[in-house]
Amino acid sequence: MTRYQCGSCSYRSDRLGEARQHSHQTGHVCVGKDDARPAGGRFGKAKVVAGVGVLAAATLGAVGTLAWKCRELKEEQEGVLSMAAGLLVQLAESAAANESLKSENESLKAENDYLKSATGAAKTLKSFDR
C-alpha cells in the first residue's frame, strides 16, 4: 500500500490526488512512502521527485499570487496618493479663499466703523444735503 505523507505537517493520504491538492493548498511537500520497499528504491526516488515538482508548482503559484497582490497593492497605493494630492490641492484652495474672505471682511468692518464714527457720519450727511 502506498501512502503519501507531508514533510511539514501530520497530513497523510492514500491517494496521490489528495496529496497533490494538499501541496497546492498549503505549499507543503508530500512525499510518497512505499511500505513494501525501501525508500531508496527506484520508485521511491520518482515519488520524491514528483513531490518536489508539486512543491515547485506550489512555490511558483505562490510567487505569482504574491506578485499579483503586490501589483494590486501598488495600484491601490497610487490611487490613494493621487486622492491625497487632490485633497491637498483642495485644502490649499480653500485656505486661500478663506484668507481672501477674511481680508474682505476686515475691509468692510473698517469701512463700517468709519461710517459709524462722527467724521464718517458727518461726511455721509453732507453728501445728501446737496
Side-chain angles (χ1 to χ4, degrees), residues 95-107:
N98 191 22
E99 286 299 318
S100 174
L101 288 175
K102 268 187 185 178
S103 175
E104 185 179 342
N105 189 25
E106 289 173 3
S107 174

Side-chain angles (χ1 to χ4, degrees), residues 8 25 41 48 51 59 70:
S8 301
Q25 289 175 347
V48 171
T59 302
C70 183

Side-chain angles (χ1 to χ4, degrees), residues 15 20 38 44 62 87 90 92 104 126 129:
R15 296 183 182 176
R20 283 186 180 161
L87 288 173
Q90 287 180 355
E104 185 179 342
K126 283 184 184 177
D129 283 342

Side-chain angles (χ1 to χ4, degrees), residues 6 8 11-12 17-18 41 48 53 62-63 67 72 83 89 107 112:
C6 182
S8 301
Y11 177 80
R12 290 178 182 219
E18 291 175 358
V48 171
V63 168
E72 187 178 85
M83 188 174 20
V89 168
S107 174
N112 192 27

Side-chain angles (χ1 to χ4, degrees), residues 8 16 20 28 31 36 39 41 44 69 71 75 96-97 111-112 122 130:
S8 301
L16 178 60
R20 283 186 180 161
H28 295 170
V31 179
K69 241 344 184 180
R71 186 186 74 212
E75 290 173 358
E111 183 180 352
N112 192 27
R130 293 185 193 169

Side-chain angles (χ1 to χ4, degrees), residues 34-58:
D34 191 351
D35 293 337
R37 295 188 182 133
R42 194 172 96 206
F43 296 107
K45 287 181 183 176
K47 290 174 191 167
V48 171
V49 170
V52 171
V54 169
L55 172 66

